[in-house]
Amino acid sequence: MSFKLTEGGVCAAKGFKASGMYCGIKDNPTKKNDIALVVADVMCNAAGVYTSNKVKGAPVIVTKSNLEKSGGKAKAVIVNSKNANTCNADGIEKAQEMCRLTADALGIKPEEVIVASTGVIGQVLPIEPIKKAVPVLADTLSYDGNVAAATAIMTTDTFKKEYAVEFEVGGKTCRLGGMAKGSGMIHPNMATTLNFITTDCAISAELLQKALSEIVKVTYNCLSVDGDQSTNDTCMLMSSGLAGNNEIVSDGEEFNTFKDALYEVMASLTKMLAKDGEGATKLLTCVCSTAPDLDTAIVIAKSVIRSPLVKCAMFGADANWGRILCAIGYAEAEFDINKIDVALESTGGKIDVCKDGHGLDFSEETAAKILAADEITILIDMNSGDTTATAWGCDLTYDYVKINGDYRT
Amino acid sequence: MSFKLTEGGVCAAKGFKASGMYCGIKDNPTKKNDIALVVADVMCNAAGVYTSNKVKGAPVIVTKSNLEKSGGKAKAVIVNSKNANTCNADGIEKAQEMCRLTADALGIKPEEVIVASTGVIGQVLPIEPIKKAVPVLADTLSYDGNVAAATAIMTTDTFKKEYAVEFEVGGKTCRLGGMAKGSGMIHPNMATTLNFITTDCAISAELLQKALSEIVKVTYNCLSVDGDQSTNDTCMLMSSGLAGNNEIVSDGEEFNTFKDALYEVMASLTKMLAKDGEGATKLLTCVCSTAPDLDTAIVIAKSVIRSPLVKCAMFGADANWGRILCAIGYAEAEFDINKIDVALESTGGKIDVCKDGHGLDFSEETAAKILAADEITILIDMNSGDTTATAWGCDLTYDYVKINGDYRT
């Protein structure tokens, strides 16, 4: 299914305003934005998926609790970057304070606020800058504030991640768009880094959560930058229902259209996250096809994408396919390794490197040309069924080591 | 228990000769050794643990099959480096040919030969150089050939790994020693990279295997260099029984002494493998103590040792303990994160950085001094029991990327 792209990111859907600014949590001379606010004109159905790490950021705990209290309704999102507000004795208190400040500035209830933080773990969150910023953020909200917000949630990201599409439900044009941040500590399980998606499509709270959980599994959860699962992973989906369509309340064609749109946006953001993985020079996509089932396809594609040795080989443009086979071999799934075919593809062409689990004679010259591209696809054929899954990642480079050797200081 | 160290590595135990030479598989001008032979004067009990990767090197398959045929007896080990003989259509045939050549040169049966290969996956193994080398290896066997053999199994290793100890069983002096190779694609599960251990202690085949399996779990299997589990992991333990002790045939004090000696040798080799991890500048040791059980302690210590972000922080001497908590949090075990304490230790001192899952105020200056050392211990206290496990690894550096960006070519 193809979708009409549209502008506006998290503000693309009707009824969503945003703002972003520098409040002083980021200690940088260029005063890059470090706090963002997203507010809906009406009360929204809200669905969330969160990290499964036992160390949970205080904002994750507070947001979950808020949505329980509000019965899955929310009107605002407040997010800061540079400090994860995680593993701090006063973390919960500070996250709740962020909700109270936001609620006061907007005249809503604290439990109608979604709060998120991203950045260094274990440093006390300074609340004073946030206290001063929230009223300013509320005053500067606008229907094209998406860029200010999307830049405010960046940490080591080198570019902002936004994506939005239009689609039709019951003759009404709906919009669905979002923003995300990367770019290290990324190996989502159950959820991923920070992602905020909004839509004006009217849809029941139950189906909103169902769609989110289903699509997270095949998009964000198929992303790995370094194998480290973050403590603050949060993916939120809010629906204002302002598109004017009759609310989607059951499975069927309209729900499928909604899920297709959600997949389009989330897969596109996932790709951006992979491409901007810390230190990355190449986007790696691994497509595992003719698999017996979805879980097997996912676990194999992710195993290859996660392998440090595969990532280094791709950085070095070395068609060392033995490392791909090795990573397939230790994936936790049951299958016949002697049916596996592997090919490498890019704008530079396509080359088969392995058939039935054994190496093929191939031109190293052609392979090098293919691997010189900055977007490489690893194609795995299991010859054992008709299911396909895709995983996304990036190469492992000197810059990943550099960034993470001195990130905190 | 403390042991008397002794010289001789794989030849330390009575009745074991070895040799090593350059035969031409390594394509290098310095003609570094690339093939090794270890031969016992008498028929040995042999125990093995192998990779659990679904992609298994042909030598792994052939060795397992040989030991089944011979009823767990072996007299010789033939090993080449630089080529893993894995994922090749003619792999099994070539591995069998290596056994036949060795058996012919020694006048023994092919199924009494253990064969192993390490190096690049998926390149056809050249058999001609091996054909020429095996008779020479047989002619040059000696009781102090251990160094020639230990250097012949090296790939990207920067130093050879040997260790041997003496111990007493029933008033008789026994010896147990071995050699190992690293240094990338190391994240053992069930077994690890190539390890050959010999002893002259008389011990039944059953107890030999029991000791090996038990000690592998808390030594090699607690090692991670990069999270990539090799296709050729093989750990062999051979006993000549020439020490003159009454054969150990049951659990008890003598068996415990044997296991202690085996732990001493295998843990020491494990530390060497970690210290010489590809590109490593620091040995990282993670000790998880006061754990409720061994499996929990192991899974937590390994999770921390595997984390790329922890590894980079250690490379950068940055006491970014939040990454350690994060890696503990995504370890697949059940526990209370709010009971966890973390400290960092080296010859530079010791510092507590986290108590009850929350950060402590600590001197960054002291922490930097501690982390400047080249051997760092991460101490995790679970405060939930009385079990301890140790995992070993290394930092993640520019050189890991460099080595693996152009390893194959």
Side-chain angles (χ1 to χ4, degrees), chain A residues 54 228 318 330 333 364 408, chain B residues 54 228 318 330 333 364 408:
Chain A
K54 274 189 197 63
D228 271 309
D318 177 11
Y330 62 67
E364 290 284 345
R408 204 190 47 149
Chain B
K54 274 189 198 61
D228 272 308
D318 178 10
Y330 62 67
E364 290 284 345
R408 205 191 44 151

Side-chain angles (χ1 to χ4, degrees), chain B residues 281-294:
Chain B
T281 68
K282 294 178 197 227
L283 168 67
L284 305 183
T285 303
C286 182
V287 181
C288 180
S289 57
T290 57
D293 57 76
L294 186 62

Side-chain angles (χ1 to χ4, degrees), chain B residues 64-392:
Chain B
K64 277 171 104 165
S65 153
N66 280 357
L67 288 183
E68 275 165 32
K69 273 190 227 162
S70 72
K73 303 282 180 187
K75 248 196 125 175
V77 181
I78 182 87
V79 200
N80 74 277
S81 56
K82 183 67 183 172
N83 186 314
N85 190 19
T86 299
C87 296
N88 297 325
D90 65 353
I92 298 286
E93 194 186 311
K94 293 273 179 72
Q96 286 170 339
E97 176 72 5
M98 282 176 73
C99 294
R100 263 194 306 273
L101 291 166
T102 307
D104 287 352
L106 300 170
I108 62 175
K109 294 180 191 158
E111 62 262 32
E112 291 161 9
V113 178
I114 288 159
V115 59
S117 299
T118 178
V120 182
I121 297 170
Q123 295 191 342
V124 174
L125 180 71
I127 201 73
E128 284 307 317
I130 297 174
K131 239 179 221 169
K132 285 180 197 151
V134 168
V136 183
L137 286 169
D139 282 349
T140 53
L141 282 168
S142 82
Y143 292 116
D144 55 5
N146 55 293
V147 171
T151 50
I153 64 174
M154 290 164 64
T155 53
T156 51
D157 303 68
T158 66
F159 59 84
K160 68 179 170 63
K161 284 96 183 166
E162 294 188 295
Y163 202 86
V165 296
E166 280 185 14
F167 57 103
E168 280 207 2
V169 171
K172 300 287 180 185
T173 300
C174 301
R175 282 143 296 258
L176 190 146
M179 62 179 184
K181 66 79 57 181
S183 63
M185 206 176 267
I186 295 189
H187 182 73
N189 183 19
M190 297 296 290
T192 180
T193 176
L194 303 188
N195 295 270
F196 306 98
I197 300 172
T198 57
T199 182
D200 44 26
C201 180
I203 178 167
S204 72
E206 189 195 341
L207 288 180
L208 200 68
Q209 184 68 51
K210 188 176 171 191
L212 181 64
S213 298
E214 205 173 299
I215 303 300
V216 157
K217 178 175 175 170
V218 292
T219 55
Y220 295 150
N221 281 5
C222 288
L223 166 69
S224 185
V225 165
D226 52 15
D228 272 308
Q229 189 204 356
S230 162
T231 53
N232 287 46
D233 289 348
T234 299
C235 181
M236 299 298 315
L237 171 59
M238 295 167 73
S239 148
S240 69
L242 293 177
N245 62 305
N246 291 327
E247 189 177 67
I248 305 173
V249 292
S250 62
D251 275 344
E253 198 186 328
E254 294 189 344
F255 185 55
N256 287 338
T257 301
F258 181 81
K259 285 198 294 185
D260 286 343
L262 188 59
Y263 178 85
E264 173 75 9
V265 168
M266 289 178 67
S268 300
L269 288 170
T270 299
K271 257 180 269 183
M272 290 183 203
L273 290 169
K275 199 177 174 69
D276 197 27
E278 279 177 337
T281 68
K282 294 178 197 227
L283 168 67
L284 305 183
T285 303
C286 182
V287 181
C288 180
S289 57
T290 57
D293 57 76
L294 186 62
D295 287 340
T296 301
I298 288 174
V299 84
I300 287 177
K302 274 187 85 166
S303 188
V304 170
I305 281 294
R306 180 182 183 169
S307 160
L309 289 171
V310 171
K311 290 155 67 76
C312 284
M314 294 298 105
F315 172 58
D318 178 10
N320 196 335
W321 60 270
R323 295 179 178 172
I324 297 170
L325 257 279
C326 176
I328 294 171
Y330 62 67
E332 290 188 5
E334 285 312 311
F335 57 91
D336 184 354
I337 192 80
N338 293 313
K339 285 186 171 180
I340 302 273
D341 304 336
V342 178
L344 301 168
E345 191 175 24
S346 78
T347 50
K350 184 183 164 188
I351 194 163
D352 295 319
V353 292
C354 170
K355 172 94 188 144
D356 300 333
H358 295 131
L360 293 170
D361 222 9
F362 62 86
S363 155
E364 290 284 345
E365 204 182 331
T366 308
K369 209 181 86 190
I370 291 165
L371 298 184
D374 61 3
E375 299 198 359
I376 295 162
T377 302
I378 299 167
L379 298 161
I380 298 168
D381 238 311
M382 296 191 70
N383 297 301
S384 305
D386 55 9
T387 311
T388 299
T390 302
W392 296 271

Side-chain angles (χ1 to χ4, degrees), chain B residues 45-63:
Chain B
N45 285 333
V49 189
Y50 313 89
T51 185
S52 59
N53 196 313
K54 274 189 198 61
V55 179
K56 288 184 208 310
V60 172
I61 297 164
V62 170
T63 293

Side-chain angles (χ1 to χ4, degrees), chain A residues 30 53 67 114 132 150 165 236 278 281 288 295 381:
Chain A
T30 50
N53 196 312
L67 289 182
I114 288 160
K132 285 182 196 151
V165 297
M236 299 298 314
E278 281 177 336
T281 68
C288 179
D295 288 340
D381 239 311

Side-chain angles (χ1 to χ4, degrees), chain A residues 53-261:
Chain A
N53 196 312
K54 274 189 197 63
V55 179
K56 287 184 208 311
V60 172
I61 296 164
V62 170
T63 292
K64 278 172 103 164
S65 154
N66 281 356
L67 289 182
E68 275 167 31
K69 274 189 227 163
S70 71
K73 303 284 180 188
K75 249 195 123 175
V77 181
I78 182 87
V79 201
N80 73 277
S81 57
K82 184 64 185 177
N83 185 314
N85 191 19
T86 299
C87 296
N88 298 326
D90 66 353
I92 298 286
E93 195 186 310
K94 293 272 178 72
Q96 286 170 338
E97 176 73 5
M98 283 176 73
C99 294
R100 262 195 306 273
L101 291 167
T102 306
D104 288 351
L106 300 170
I108 61 173
K109 293 180 191 159
E111 61 263 32
E112 291 160 10
V113 179
I114 288 160
V115 59
S117 299
T118 177
V120 182
I121 297 170
Q123 295 192 340
V124 174
L125 180 70
I127 200 72
E128 284 308 317
I130 297 174
K131 239 180 220 169
K132 285 182 196 151
V134 169
V136 183
L137 286 168
D139 281 350
T140 53
L141 282 167
S142 82
Y143 292 114
D144 56 5
N146 56 293
V147 172
T151 50
I153 64 173
M154 292 164 63
T155 53
T156 51
D157 302 70
T158 66
F159 60 84
K160 68 177 171 64
K161 283 97 184 166
E162 294 188 293
Y163 202 85
V165 297
E166 280 184 14
F167 57 104
E168 280 207 0
V169 171
K172 301 289 180 183
T173 300
C174 301
R175 283 143 294 257
L176 190 148
M179 61 180 186
K181 65 79 58 182
S183 62
M185 205 175 269
I186 295 188
H187 183 73
N189 181 20
M190 299 294 290
T192 180
T193 174
L194 302 188
N195 295 269
F196 305 99
I197 300 173
T198 56
T199 183
D200 44 25
C201 180
I203 178 167
S204 73
E206 191 195 342
L207 288 180
L208 199 67
Q209 183 68 51
K210 189 177 171 191
L212 181 63
S213 299
E214 205 172 298
I215 303 302
V216 157
K217 178 175 175 170
V218 292
T219 55
Y220 295 150
N221 281 5
C222 288
L223 166 68
S224 184
V225 166
D226 52 16
D228 271 309
Q229 188 205 358
S230 161
T231 53
N232 287 47
D233 289 347
T234 299
C235 181
M236 299 298 314
L237 171 59
M238 294 167 74
S239 147
S240 69
L242 293 176
N245 62 304
N246 291 328
E247 189 178 67
I248 305 172
V249 292
S250 63
D251 276 343
E253 199 186 325
E254 295 189 343
F255 184 55
N256 288 338
T257 302
F258 180 82
K259 285 197 295 184
D260 285 345

